[in-house]
Amino acid sequence: QNRRLFVSSVLLSTSFATLPTQTNMNMNMNVAHANEITWSPSPINKRSGITLNRAENTYNLKFITYLSRFLLSFDKECQQWWNTRSKLALASSSSSLSSSEQMDATTLAKQFGSFAASVEIGLQEYEGSDGAKTLMKLLLGRYGLVSMGEDMDLSSSFPSSSTPVFKSKQDEEKFKNEIKEAKRQIALLFSLLDVPYQPVEEITKLLASIDNASIKKVVVVNHGGGYAPGYGVPAVSFPKPDAAALDNGTGNNLNGDSDGDNKRKSKYETATGRATLRPSGRILRIDIRNRGFGYSYTKPPTVTITPPLALEAYNSPSAQAATAKAFIFRDGVNKGRLERVEVIFPGSGYDQNEMIKVQFSPPDVVRAEDGGMRCSADVVLEYELDEIQIINPGSGYVKERPTEVYVDPPPLTARLDLNDPMVVKKLSFDGTGFSGFGGKKMGTHNNNKPTMKDENEINSTGVYDPSSLNTKAWKMAKAGGGGGCVGRACYDEPVVAIAYPAAEVDSYSSFRSTKGGGKPQLPFWNGGPTDSSSLLSLLPGGIGLSYNDKLQKYELVANDQAIMNTDMMSITPGEPIDADFGPRGISPIERERTLTPGILTRFFFSGALCSSAAHLLLTPLDVVKTSIQTNPKKYTGPISTLNLLLEENGVPGLFAGWVPTLIGFFINGGISFALTEFWRSFYFDLAGDIAFDYEIPIIVAAAATAAVFGSFTLAPSEAIRIRSVAQPDYAPNALGVATRMVSDEGIFTLFSAVPAFLLKEIPFCIAKFGVFDSTTAFLFEAYPAAREDFQLSLYITLIGGTLGGIAAAIVSNPADATVSAMKKAKSDDGPITTFLYLFRTGGIRALTRGLGVRMGFYTILVALQFLVYDAIRF
C-alpha cells in the first residue's frame, strides 16, 4: 500500500451479507436487493500478515472470478458501478478505432480484476467449509428468495407491504425465471469448489428445488442373493426426496431452520416400487426329507448333487455343479442319523425347471442285524433380485445425482428349513410366529459371520435375550443348521440398485432467453475478444452438473446441446470442464475514506513527527546549505563549509537554528500532510467517478493547495532559522532572534518571504508528492507482493521518497536561494527584487547555489519523511 488511505469494496462484507428486506427489486432487469455497494475498511494488513489471497485457502480462483460474474449479472448496484466505469474507460480511450478497442479490452479486464479482488477480500469472512455453506445460504436468501419450491409464492417471500406488483403475467413470469436462473447459477458456482469445501448436500437440496425430478428408472447393479421361495418379495425403500428438506412443510429448509411443532405434510412424494425375484442358478440350501440311520459320526456319507443341465447338455463354461457336506449326530437318541447338510459350493447355471437330485452314500453297517437306511434330501434354489418396478415415481429428486435404492436383505430364516420339526423344536416356537424374521435388517458382520453384538441378539428393550426367536435362529444358523450363515452373511455383496431421476428442467436448463439467436460469446473457452458483455456472461444452457461418486463432489460438465449451441467444440460431453472465468487483479476497488476529525488528527501528528524528526536529524546539512547560500564567498563548497563551521563553532554550530527548525517543521509538516490528504479527498469527491483516471493530477493539485497554507506556517520559522545561521551572534537563542527581528523590522518581516515560499513550497510539494506517488504506484504494480509485505513496502517507500526528494530539490532551489538571500540580513527587498538581483549578479549559478547539498539533503529528508510517515500513520 502507498501512503494514501483507501478502503476496499468488500462486496460480501457483513453488512452486505445481512439478509435484505427485499424491497429493492428491479422488475424490468435482473434481481438485486442491495441498496448500494458496501464499502468497508480493507482487512488486508501487511503489518499483521493478512494478505489478499488468504481466502484462496477455501475458494479457488475459478470460484472467485465466477462469483464476480454472478454479482455483475444479478446485482443491480454492481451492474451500475460496472456500466459507469466501462463508459468512463471507453471515453478515456484512444480515438483510433483499433487502438480504442484494444485499450478498452485491457482496461475492462483490469477493471474486472479489481472487482474480483474486492470479492476475494469479502470472502475472507466466509472461510472453511462452514463459511462456504453460510455464503451459499446468504446468496440464496438474497438472489434466490426464500421459496425453494417449483411454484413460487411471492406473497410469502416478501413482507405484505412490499409484495411486488407486475404489469403483466409476462413480467411476473420473467421475474420468476430470473430467480430460478439465480438459483441455477448459484448451484453451478459452488460446484467449482474443491473437496472438502464444496457444500455437497446443500447443492443437492438446491438442485432438487430446481429439478423437482421423478424417478424414471432403476438399474440393478448387483442382484444380490440369498432369497428363498415362500417368503414373498423383499421390501423396496426409496430415499426421501432431496427437496423435502427445503419444503417448509417438513420443518426444514436450506437455512437449517425448523418449523418446530407446526409441521405439515410435504408436497413432495417419496417414490415407491416393487421388487421381483428370479432364480440365481445357485443352490440356497438342502432340506432333509429323511435323516436315515446307521451312519458313523466319523465317516459321514458323501453328498453328490447332479450337475446343471447346461453343463451336461451344452457344456456351458459358466455352469458348475454344487457341492455339499453331510454332518451326523454324534450321540443321543438321534445318534447315527443325518443332522444337517451344509452347502460348500452353491454351483451355478441351475434352472428351476430341471430335476436336481441329491444322493447320499449308504450307511457303513458293521453288523447285518444293525441294519441301516440311506438318508434323502431336496434342493432349494436360491433367488436373487430381478428388477424393481416403479409404482410411484415420486417428486423432488435430483436428476444430477442418482440415488441408491434400499432393498431388504433375505430374512434370517431363509437358509433354515422351517418345515423340519427338529429345526422348529430347536427354535421353540412361542406363539409369536416367525413373521418377524422377514425383512429384518442385519447388523455388522465380519468374515461372513455375525458378531456377538449383532442386533438380533438384542431385544426391543436393548437387553440380550437368549430366548428370543431372533437369537435362536442366529444360533441355529451359526451351528450350521441351514447352511452355516445368516441373511446377508450368506453372500458376498448386498443388492445394489441405482435410481435415475428425470426432470423437464434441470441444471442444464437456462431460464433466461437468448436474444437475437446465435451462439453465446464465451471468452473463457474460445479465447474471444473481451468486452463488457462477455465479461458479464454466465454459463449458458447445456452446461450443468454431474455428481462424481468417486470424488464425492459435483462437477461442471457440458451435454450435447451445449456443444451444438456454442463454440465449445473442444469440450467432451460429460467430461469435467476446467474453465477460466477471468482475471483476478492484485488490488481491489478502492475509494477514499471519509476523513473524520480523528483521522485528520492522526494524519497531522504523523506528518508533524516525520517532518520535524527528519529535519532535526538533518539540521547540519541544512546549516551547510544555508551558509553556502548566504555567504558564498566565505563558504565555497559543502566539504570546506562543513570543516570551517566545525572550526568556528564546533559541533553545536552545526545545529544552529534547531529550535525554530523543530517547531516550524512540526507545525508545517502536520499541516502539510493533513491538508494534502484533506484536499486530495475533497478533489476526489469533486471529480466523482473519473477521479481514479486523474489520480496523479488530483494529488498534485492537493499538494499545491496544501503548500499555500503551509507556506504561511513555515515562513516565520525559516526566517528565524536563516538569521540564526547567517548571523550566529544576532541573539543568544531562537526566541531572542525572533524578538529582535520583530523589534527591528516589524512583525511583517516574519511573513515578508511568503511569496517566495509559495514559489518554493508549491513546486516542492508538487514534485515531492507527484514523483513519490507515481514511483510507488509503478513499483507496486511491478512488484505486487510488496503490497502485502511490510518490509518490501517500506523499501518501495524509500525509493519513492528518494526520487521525490531529488525532484523537489531541483524545482524549488531557485526560490530557496531567494529566501536565503532575503533573510540573511535586514533587507527591504521583496522576493521578486531579490530574485532578479541574484540572477543579474550570479546568473543561473546563483539560483542553483547549494543545489548539490539540497539534493542530498532532500533526498534523505523526503525518504525519511515518507518512511516514518508510512510506518506510524496507522
Side-chain angles (χ1 to χ4, degrees):
Q1 297 278 18
N2 57 23
R3 67 177 180 80
R4 290 164 291 142
L5 183 64
F6 284 111
V7 291
S8 297
S9 170
V10 186
L11 300 175
L12 299 171
S13 64
T14 304
S15 57
F16 179 86
T18 304
L19 289 178
T21 57
Q22 297 177 336
T23 60
N24 184 26
M25 289 288 186
N26 185 343
M27 304 306 172
N28 299 319
M29 294 180 63
N30 298 333
V31 181
H33 304 295
N35 291 323
E36 63 177 4
I37 289 180
T38 299
W39 298 87
S40 300
S42 172
I44 297 176
N45 190 323
K46 58 196 175 190
R47 293 166 175 79
S48 61
I50 299 177
T51 62
L52 171 66
N53 60 358
R54 192 183 78 174
E56 291 175 31
N57 294 329
T58 301
Y59 304 96
N60 54 48
L61 287 180
K62 289 188 293 184
F63 180 93
I64 294 168
T65 51
Y66 197 71
L67 174 57
S68 302
R69 286 176 176 266
F70 176 86
L71 291 173
L72 290 171
S73 181
F74 282 94
D75 191 279
K76 184 178 66 176
E77 279 62 43
C78 291
Q79 292 171 359
Q80 290 175 346
W81 172 87
W82 176 267
N83 292 334
T84 300
R85 295 294 302 163
S86 298
K87 291 176 182 178
L88 292 171
L90 184 62
S92 62
S93 62
S94 171
S95 58
S96 169
L97 180 60
S98 59
S99 176
S100 174
E101 290 175 347
Q102 181 64 34
M103 182 176 293
D104 186 50
T106 303
T107 304
L108 288 174
K110 184 175 181 180
Q111 178 177 306
F112 181 87
S114 295
F115 186 86
S118 298
V119 171
E120 181 167 355
I121 291 176
L123 288 173
Q124 293 187 7
E125 293 193 27
Y126 306 97
E127 294 181 283
S129 56
D130 290 339
K133 293 176 183 178
T134 301
L135 176 62
M136 185 175 182
K137 294 173 187 176
L138 294 172
L139 288 175
L140 283 170
R142 181 173 296 280
Y143 302 105
L145 297 184
V146 294
S147 174
M148 300 298 170
E150 184 182 32
D151 300 321
M152 295 184 188
D153 183 6
L154 296 180
S155 62
S156 65
S157 300
F158 293 88
S160 58
S161 60
S162 59
T163 302
V165 178
F166 302 97
K167 295 180 180 179
S168 65
K169 190 70 176 177
Q170 184 178 4
D171 288 344
E172 181 179 359
E173 192 63 28
K174 182 179 179 182
F175 181 78
K176 289 183 177 180
N177 283 337
E178 279 296 294
I179 295 174
K180 291 179 181 179
E181 182 65 16
K183 290 160 63 177
R184 170 182 175 258
Q185 292 294 339
I186 290 173
L188 299 181
L189 168 68
F190 280 87
S191 73
L192 299 173
L193 290 180
D194 299 318
V195 177
Y197 304 112
Q198 187 182 109
V200 172
E201 295 306 318
E202 285 70 16
I203 294 175
T204 301
K205 295 171 186 177
L206 177 57
L207 289 175
S209 73
I210 298 172
D211 299 355
N212 191 22
S214 300
I215 304 299
K216 183 179 181 180
K217 65 178 180 179
V218 178
V219 176
V220 180
V221 179
N222 190 317
H223 294 270
Y227 295 97
Y231 283 88
V233 296
V236 174
S237 301
F238 286 82
K240 287 185 178 181
D242 300 288
L246 299 173
D247 185 9
N248 289 332
T250 64
N252 297 304
N253 53 42
L254 192 60
N255 294 324
D257 304 326
S258 175
D259 287 343
D261 297 330
N262 299 324
K263 294 183 179 180
R264 62 184 186 276
K265 185 178 179 181
S266 172
K267 64 182 178 182
Y268 299 105
E269 292 185 274
T270 302
T272 58
R274 183 179 185 275
T276 61
L277 297 176
R278 69 185 185 189
S280 68
R282 299 183 294 269
I283 303 299
L284 175 67
R285 68 173 192 258
I286 297 177
D287 292 346
I288 300 174
R289 269 201 329 250
N290 186 337
R291 297 186 182 275
F293 62 88
Y295 289 99
S296 170
Y297 172 79
T298 59
K299 192 177 180 181
T302 58
V303 182
T304 303
I305 304 175
T306 56
L309 185 62
L311 179 62
E312 287 191 324
Y314 306 107
N315 199 26
S316 172
S318 62
Q320 291 179 284
T323 58
K325 181 179 181 181
F327 293 85
I328 304 299
F329 282 107
R330 182 174 186 174
D331 48 29
V333 295
N334 290 313
K335 180 180 179 181
R337 305 187 71 186
L338 183 63
E339 179 188 1
R340 71 184 187 278
V341 180
E342 182 176 326
V343 177
I344 304 300
F345 176 67
S348 62
Y350 288 99
D351 187 270
Q352 62 179 337
N353 295 319
E354 68 179 282
M355 180 75 70
I356 306 174
K357 294 182 179 181
V358 180
Q359 295 180 338
F360 296 89
S361 60
D364 188 8
V365 180
V366 178
R367 296 182 305 171
E369 61 269 21
D370 291 339
M373 179 180 293
R374 187 184 302 212
C375 53
S376 61
D378 294 326
V379 166
V380 177
L381 283 179
E382 178 196 49
Y383 281 75
E384 65 182 9
L385 184 71
D386 182 17
E387 64 176 0
I388 296 177
Q389 301 170 345
I390 299 173
I391 299 174
N392 181 352
S395 60
Y397 290 97
V398 176
K399 177 185 176 182
E400 293 81 357
R401 188 181 184 183
T403 183
E404 188 170 349
V405 180
Y406 178 79
V407 180
D408 274 358
L412 285 173
T413 55
R415 294 181 183 265
L416 301 178
D417 181 10
L418 297 182
N419 292 318
D420 188 336
M422 192 167 293
V423 173
V424 174
K425 182 179 180 180
K426 287 187 177 183
L427 289 175
S428 301
F429 179 74
D430 58 6
T432 61
F434 293 97
S435 59
F437 291 109
K440 182 69 177 179
K441 297 180 183 179
M442 294 297 297
T444 301
H445 301 272
N446 295 319
N447 299 323
N448 291 337
K449 295 181 180 180
T451 66
M452 290 305 293
K453 293 185 179 180
D454 191 279
E455 64 177 356
N456 298 299
E457 295 184 71
I458 308 299
N459 63 16
S460 59
T461 63
V463 180
Y464 173 75
D465 184 3
S467 64
S468 70
L469 292 177
N470 283 354
T471 302
K472 290 179 179 179
W474 178 82
K475 286 183 176 180
M476 190 77 171
K478 186 180 180 183
C485 55
V486 179
R488 288 205 170 204
C490 298
Y491 51 94
D492 295 330
E493 298 178 359
V495 170
V496 178
I498 307 298
Y500 290 87
E504 293 184 6
V505 294
D506 50 37
S507 64
Y508 297 85
S509 308
S510 175
F511 297 95
R512 281 180 173 175
S513 60
T514 304
K515 296 181 179 180
K519 298 180 180 181
Q521 293 295 317
L522 303 174
F524 36 83
W525 269 297
N526 58 29
T530 302
D531 55 26
S532 189
S533 60
S534 65
L535 279 172
L536 269 62
S537 63
L538 295 174
L539 292 166
I543 308 297
L545 299 182
S546 177
Y547 186 75
N548 188 321
D549 193 61
K550 183 178 181 180
L551 298 179
Q552 299 290 296
K553 61 171 289 189
Y554 282 98
E555 294 177 327
L556 205 64
V557 298
N559 61 14
D560 294 333
Q561 175 191 351
I563 306 303
M564 293 173 58
N565 295 340
T566 68
D567 294 328
M568 300 182 299
M569 301 305 295
S570 61
I571 303 299
T572 303
E575 292 296 318
I577 294 173
D578 185 16
D580 178 13
F581 298 110
R584 190 268 286 155
I586 57 176
S587 60
I589 304 168
E590 296 173 326
R591 77 171 186 185
E592 294 297 321
R593 171 183 285 179
T594 301
L595 294 180
T596 63
I599 294 176
L600 283 174
T601 301
R602 190 167 65 205
F603 278 136
F604 175 87
F605 282 106
S606 297
L609 289 173
C610 76
S611 186
S612 60
H615 274 86
L616 182 62
L617 183 65
L618 298 175
T619 297
L621 282 179
D622 206 12
V623 170
V624 171
K625 182 266 302 181
T626 302
S627 299
I628 293 174
Q629 289 178 330
T630 56
N631 194 352
K633 293 182 179 180
K634 181 179 180 181
Y635 303 108
T636 57
I639 303 299
S640 60
T641 301
L642 178 63
N643 293 329
L644 189 57
L645 290 173
L646 286 172
E647 290 177 6
E648 293 176 346
N649 303 305
V651 174
L654 296 178
F655 287 89
W658 73 269
V659 173
T661 296
L662 180 65
I663 296 174
F665 281 101
F666 184 90
I667 298 173
N668 176 263
I671 291 177
S672 294
F673 277 90
L675 286 181
T676 298
E677 298 289 350
F678 172 81
W679 288 110
R680 187 175 54 79
S681 178
F682 175 80
Y683 291 143
F684 260 83
D685 292 340
L686 197 64
D689 292 323
I690 65 171
F692 280 96
D693 294 327
Y694 301 96
E695 188 173 357
I696 299 300
I698 288 177
I699 293 170
V700 168
T705 308
V708 172
F709 292 90
S711 296
F712 286 91
T713 62
L714 187 59
S717 63
E718 278 293 273
I720 297 171
R721 184 191 66 81
I722 292 171
R723 187 66 58 87
S724 300
V725 173
Q727 301 181 39
D729 300 328
Y730 189 77
N733 52 48
L735 180 61
V737 172
T739 303
R740 182 176 172 183
M741 286 181 69
V742 172
S743 176
D744 294 348
E745 305 169 30
I747 188 68
F748 181 73
T749 191
L750 298 178
F751 299 93
S752 61
V754 165
F757 267 100
L758 291 174
L759 295 175
K760 170 191 172 184
E761 288 298 308
I762 291 177
F764 180 88
C765 290
I766 288 175
K768 180 175 76 171
F769 285 106
V771 173
F772 174 83
D773 278 73
S774 300
T775 302
T776 54
F778 172 80
L779 291 175
F780 277 120
E781 188 76 21
Y783 304 99
R787 295 177 179 272
E788 301 169 3
D789 188 288
F790 183 50
Q791 186 175 357
L792 288 177
S793 70
L794 291 183
Y795 287 150
I796 288 181
T797 297
L798 188 61
I799 295 172
T802 299
L803 296 178
I806 293 173
I810 293 173
V811 299
S812 64
N813 200 80
D816 188 69
T818 301
V819 172
S820 295
M822 286 179 64
K823 294 304 171 183
K824 66 181 180 179
K826 181 179 178 180
S827 175
D828 295 327
D829 293 337
I832 296 177
T833 303
T834 305
F835 177 84
L836 293 175
Y837 171 79
L838 288 173
F839 184 73
R840 186 172 60 252
T841 58
I844 297 297
R845 183 178 180 182
L847 297 176
T848 59
R849 188 176 291 129
L851 178 59
V853 178
R854 289 188 81 241
M855 288 178 64
F857 175 81
Y858 282 111
T859 294
I860 301 173
L861 176 70
V862 175
L864 285 175
Q865 279 185 335
F866 283 125
L867 196 65
V868 175
Y869 182 66
D870 251 8
I872 67 176
R873 66 192 176 101
F874 292 118

